[in-house]
Amino acid sequence: MSGLEHYLSIFTKAVFIENIVLAYFLGLCSFLAISKNINASVGIGMAVVVVLTITAPINWFLWEFLLDKGALVWISEGFKDTDLGFLKLIVFISVIAAMVQLVEMFMESFSQSLYNSLGIFLPLIAVNCSILGGSLFMVEREYTISETVVYGFGSGVGFFLAIVALASIRYRLRYSNIPPRLKGVGMAMLLTGLLSMAFMAFSGIDL
């Protein structure tokens, strides 16, 4: 497999086959809550793309040159057995929180209406398990830095497509006769399950 095909495979799998929301069900809290509004869904989706694309490579460098066993050997040979892997959750979340804060400041300055519509769910991206999951999957799969960038971007795009798709369907359902007991979160959960089943159709693709 050539280099371009390899990266295209990682991107396609991250978006469709291994969608971080619909395949692993990570980040469902903001996914279900924000998808009531299409504009807010687009905004949070773009924020997730930016945060995942930037934090995954940063966390890769921290893992490779600071946290992994023997990662500190560049300082001295005496650190070849040092393993700081137990700190990865704290470090990864700290990086994500810092990046989310920058995104929040940017939105507040340039798009006040979007900032207000996202409300508390924008800072909650800092503890969104889909963002953290991207960094943890990067470590588990032993991606290179270039593979990590492609995977982070692809995972963000997958989240974006999923939340916008759900928001669009929920918008159309406003004009449908839904049983009272299924309105709200109940219908959103059913739609998430149906979207997940639809995305499972891509699992047969072998790249």
Side-chain angles (χ1 to χ4, degrees):
M1 181 181 292
S2 67
L4 181 60
E5 291 176 342
H6 176 63
Y7 293 121
L8 181 60
S9 173
I10 293 176
F11 177 80
T12 304
K13 286 181 179 179
V15 175
F16 300 106
I17 302 172
E18 299 174 354
N19 188 285
I20 205 155
V21 178
L22 301 178
Y24 296 104
F25 297 103
L26 298 178
L28 283 179
C29 50
S30 56
F31 180 74
L32 294 175
I34 296 294
S35 59
K36 297 176 184 177
N37 183 283
I38 294 180
N39 291 332
S41 298
V42 171
I44 200 75
M46 292 178 64
V48 168
V49 171
V50 171
V51 173
L52 259 173
T53 304
I54 297 176
T55 57
I58 292 176
N59 286 334
W60 182 91
F61 277 107
L62 292 174
W63 175 256
E64 291 292 326
F65 297 103
L66 182 64
L67 302 176
D68 196 12
K69 184 176 182 180
L72 295 175
V73 72
W74 59 274
I75 298 177
S76 171
E77 285 294 331
F79 292 105
K80 63 180 180 180
D81 295 323
T82 303
D83 185 359
L84 299 178
F86 64 94
L87 294 173
K88 66 181 178 181
L89 288 178
I90 297 174
V91 174
F92 287 178
I93 291 175
S94 298
V95 170
I96 293 169
M99 182 52 55
V100 169
Q101 185 64 38
L102 291 176
V103 172
E104 184 178 4
M105 293 168 60
F106 178 84
M107 282 192 176
E108 187 176 11
S109 299
F110 295 96
S111 182
Q112 188 66 43
S113 60
L114 178 58
Y115 176 80
N116 293 333
S117 65
L118 293 178
I120 192 176
F121 292 99
L122 181 56
L124 281 180
I125 294 179
V127 290
N128 191 318
C129 50
S130 64
I131 307 293
L132 179 60
S135 294
L136 294 179
F137 286 153
M138 167 271 297
V139 172
E140 180 182 337
R141 298 171 184 179
E142 300 181 346
Y143 281 151
T144 64
I145 180 59
S146 54
E147 290 172 338
T148 299
V149 173
V150 173
Y151 176 74
F153 178 67
S155 296
V157 172
F159 184 94
F160 176 87
L161 290 178
I163 195 169
V164 172
L166 180 60
S168 302
I169 296 173
R170 294 182 73 175
Y171 178 80
R172 295 295 298 272
L173 286 179
R174 294 179 182 178
Y175 307 101
S176 301
N177 186 19
I178 302 174
R181 294 182 182 274
L182 286 179
K183 288 184 178 180
V185 178
M187 180 55 67
M189 292 294 290
L190 286 175
L191 292 174
T192 301
L194 292 173
L195 279 176
S196 178
M197 292 174 63
F199 271 64
M200 283 180 63
F202 294 101
S203 61
I205 300 176
D206 186 17
L207 297 176

